[in-house]
Amino acid sequence: MSRRVVRQSKFRHVFGQAVRNDQCYDDIRVSRVTWDSAFCAVNPKFCAIIIEASGGGAFLVLPLHKTGRIDKVYPTVCGHTGPVLDIEWCPHNDHVIASGSEDCTVMVWQIPENGLETALSEPVVVLEGHSKRVGIVLWHPTARNVLLSAGCDNQIIIWNVGTGEAIINLEDMHPDVIFSVSWSRNGSLLCTACKDKKVRVIDPRKKKIVAEKDKAHEGARPMRAIFLADGNIFTTGFSRMSERQLALWKSDNLDEPICVQEMDTSNGVLLPFYDPDTNIVYLCGKGDSSIRYFEITEEAPFVHYLNTFSTKEPQRGMGYMPKRGLDVNKCEIARFYKLHERKCEPIIMTVPRKSDLFQDDLYPDTAGPDPSLEAEEWFAGKNGGPILISLKDGYVSAKNRDLKVVKTNILESKPAPKAESIPTIQKHAPPPSTVKMEDKLEEVLREFKSLRDRVILQDRRIARLEEQVAKM
């Protein structure tokens, strides 16, 4: 009689633990908008949460230490004129966050060093190019100032945030709503899941579909697809019988999955969070009250169930802390920020170890905050993997530089009238006083535009409030 041998894994005993009540963020009106995004974004300095807001869209940005009850008048980021659907922190600057909204715009914000003291309604840059609501925003993992957005107009736009320009537009690849987008480890490829039940692998710079799989999951409910560190693709979706499934695929050959597993018959969309250092995938279902986690290896059955962390309350959304924000002295390998109806509760995943020393096997070098490429290099076709850092002495954040947006001058891109006239133009350069006057004029015009935008925003809010009063 053969004995069943338990698979050896250092993550077999990972356990989750919710923090004490006084370490939660209380009295937050989490957004009720019907959209399957995480509603929460976290980095080593701040926790951002999309909230209910009258007369437009808003989200909170809280310093991590600001736990306890959050005052109703706590300042918000409130520049959107429609509900905010997705937010994401820049991986290369802990003070920069992007947001996508029902008002069809993407906005990029610079958060002050110590958090917000007054409401922030002026983004660093507004990116306009979508004709319908923007449901996904995603920063490039290794190139500075490269941001992807996907909207309900079924197109993906890749922006150079440093100039405020849309550089790549992928508009004819998806016939229906895009459910999820994921960058590969070095940011050379995209993986998308669409309402037409197809998973696509796309080379965005060549505007070419490299591989696609029809009916990756046969159910009609939303799918999710993410790239893993080895280039494979992990998907979650539903079977024809509405059972929740997960599957693993080779990105260069999507014909047959490496493995498929049925999970349960709940109807919440499974949001996958992936740790490339430990190769663990955490699955958080919207409306579930549990987080399941799996280890992905090269031996069958490839996706190994580890454990489930369960609580009583269902989750409205979930934030996931990057590795450099974890406490390595307590063997913390993941931290989630679970959104309830009125609060945000951190959940800590720990590997039990007796020693207090740094555990090299749990913390291999991880992606640091420095980009390996500039935006222009990436758009020109260059690739670069993440720059890795050691967590042995803990992560200490450096001073982040401010995001500068330099709008390109349309006149500069026009061809010069005649080759002979160029030297004469250079000879007669404008005097410095004129240049100063032009700079001042530009500044005044910028201020005027921002004031005008604010007045328009207030007008809309007043109109909405008048409508609500009239209905009462």
Side-chain angles (χ1 to χ4, degrees):
M1 201 172 113
S2 65
R3 279 175 61 210
R4 193 176 171 196
V5 179
V6 176
R7 189 181 68 90
Q8 285 295 307
S9 167
K10 53 182 172 265
F11 303 113
R12 233 180 69 216
H13 301 292
V14 169
F15 68 95
Q17 197 168 21
V19 300
R20 297 194 316 269
N21 270 346
D22 61 336
Q23 293 176 306
C24 294
Y25 306 86
D26 271 317
D27 216 10
I28 294 167
R29 292 169 303 143
V30 176
S31 175
R32 293 174 173 278
V33 70
T34 50
W35 186 254
D36 289 319
S37 77
F39 287 177
C40 182
V42 195
N43 69 20
K45 288 187 175 177
F46 300 106
C47 172
I49 301 163
I50 303 174
I51 56 167
E52 281 285 291
S54 53
F59 58 95
L60 275 175
V61 174
L62 303 169
L64 288 187
H65 59 79
K66 178 138 181 63
T67 52
R69 187 178 169 278
I70 306 301
D71 203 314
K72 280 190 171 60
V73 294
Y74 192 86
T76 61
V77 180
C78 55
H80 284 288
T81 55
V84 177
L85 300 178
D86 197 20
I87 48 177
E88 195 183 46
W89 289 104
C90 175
H92 309 124
N93 188 333
D94 287 340
H95 291 266
V96 171
I97 187 168
S99 57
S101 163
E102 274 193 15
D103 64 10
C104 310
T105 65
V106 175
M107 293 184 182
V108 180
W109 310 84
Q110 175 97 31
I111 306 299
E113 182 69 36
N114 299 315
L116 297 178
E117 287 173 11
T118 58
L120 182 60
S121 58
E122 285 303 310
V124 180
V125 63
V126 180
L127 306 172
E128 295 177 306
H130 288 282
S131 58
K132 288 189 180 174
R133 60 185 183 163
V134 182
I136 298 168
V137 287
L138 194 63
W139 291 94
H140 192 283
T142 61
R144 192 198 308 277
N145 290 346
V146 175
L147 178 66
L148 173 150
S149 63
C152 290
D153 50 5
N154 310 338
Q155 63 176 331
I156 291 172
I157 300 177
I158 302 175
W159 309 84
N160 181 346
V161 176
T163 61
E165 293 175 297
I167 309 291
I168 295 170
N169 198 328
L170 310 173
E171 45 190 348
D172 299 323
M173 293 185 175
H174 300 90
D176 216 324
V177 176
I178 301 158
F179 287 141
S180 80
V181 185
S182 170
W183 290 103
S184 60
R185 179 90 162 138
N186 68 354
S188 60
L189 296 173
L190 291 174
C191 163
T192 67
C194 179
K195 197 175 178 180
D196 66 354
K197 299 184 186 178
K198 283 188 181 179
V199 170
R200 294 171 174 84
V201 178
I202 297 167
D203 185 328
R205 289 168 295 188
K206 291 181 181 169
K207 299 189 176 182
K208 184 175 121 189
I209 295 173
V210 179
E212 66 180 356
K213 170 65 180 170
D214 192 16
K215 293 187 179 168
H217 295 277
E218 297 200 353
R221 290 187 57 72
M223 288 192 297
R224 286 282 186 281
I226 55 169
F227 263 116
L228 304 181
D230 59 4
N232 287 345
I233 290 169
F234 181 87
T235 61
T236 64
F238 292 80
S239 70
R240 194 180 294 165
M241 305 301 290
S242 291
E243 292 172 308
R244 292 200 290 197
Q245 291 179 321
L246 54 87
L248 192 62
W249 312 77
K250 282 206 176 303
S251 59
D252 51 358
N253 180 14
L254 293 173
D255 295 340
E256 286 300 320
I258 300 169
C259 78
V260 179
Q261 288 183 26
E262 247 96 50
M263 284 175 57
D264 56 26
T265 52
S266 182
N267 61 359
V269 175
L270 286 167
L271 305 177
F273 295 94
Y274 173 61
D275 178 1
D277 305 331
T278 56
N279 242 8
I280 295 179
V281 172
Y282 301 87
L283 298 183
C284 309
K286 274 206 137 181
D288 286 13
S289 51
S290 62
I291 301 171
R292 292 182 178 85
Y293 33 110
F294 300 79
E295 186 179 2
I296 296 171
T297 67
E298 290 175 359
E299 65 207 42
F302 307 106
V303 180
H304 305 271
Y305 170 74
L306 290 172
N307 211 335
T308 301
F309 167 78
S310 295
T311 54
K312 291 175 185 172
E313 295 288 319
Q315 55 229 15
R316 296 278 295 278
M318 194 69 78
Y320 180 63
M321 176 67 81
K323 211 52 171 289
R324 55 197 173 89
L326 303 180
D327 187 345
V328 295
N329 298 321
K330 292 180 180 167
C331 296
E332 182 183 2
I333 60 160
R335 192 187 310 155
F336 291 93
Y337 286 73
K338 174 181 171 177
L339 299 186
H340 298 240
E341 202 163 327
R342 300 284 299 191
K343 77 170 180 178
C344 172
E345 175 185 44
I347 292 163
I348 292 165
M349 299 285 180
T350 311
V351 177
R353 291 277 167 101
K354 286 176 182 169
S355 169
D356 288 339
L357 298 173
F358 179 75
Q359 310 288 319
D360 312 65
D361 59 330
L362 297 183
Y363 301 104
D365 289 357
T366 191
D370 295 323
S372 53
L373 298 168
E374 292 299 325
E376 292 72 21
E377 293 177 295
W378 185 80
F379 286 116
K382 209 170 167 187
N383 290 325
I387 295 174
L388 303 180
I389 58 169
S390 168
L391 296 176
K392 187 160 190 178
D393 302 315
Y395 169 70
V396 180
S397 63
K399 175 91 172 71
N400 286 295
R401 65 183 194 180
D402 285 358
L403 173 62
K404 294 275 191 293
V405 178
V406 182
K407 296 270 186 179
T408 50
N409 189 341
I410 299 161
L411 298 172
E412 282 173 13
S413 58
K414 288 189 177 174
K418 276 183 189 171
E420 310 89 64
S421 62
I422 291 170
T424 53
I425 290 168
Q426 285 170 346
K427 275 178 203 166
H428 306 296
S433 59
T434 320
V435 174
K436 273 187 184 171
M437 284 294 287
E438 280 177 6
D439 286 350
K440 270 199 170 167
L441 184 64
E442 254 182 50
E443 200 176 312
V444 170
L445 285 170
R446 262 204 308 275
E447 274 187 29
F448 176 73
K449 186 180 178 299
S450 79
L451 281 168
R452 191 190 63 188
D453 289 348
R454 196 173 290 180
V455 169
I456 291 167
L457 199 66
Q458 296 299 344
D459 276 353
R460 285 181 188 163
R461 284 187 179 162
I462 290 164
R464 279 208 190 97
L465 287 167
E466 282 174 348
E467 276 176 29
Q468 284 172 6
V469 170
K471 282 177 189 170
M472 283 164 77

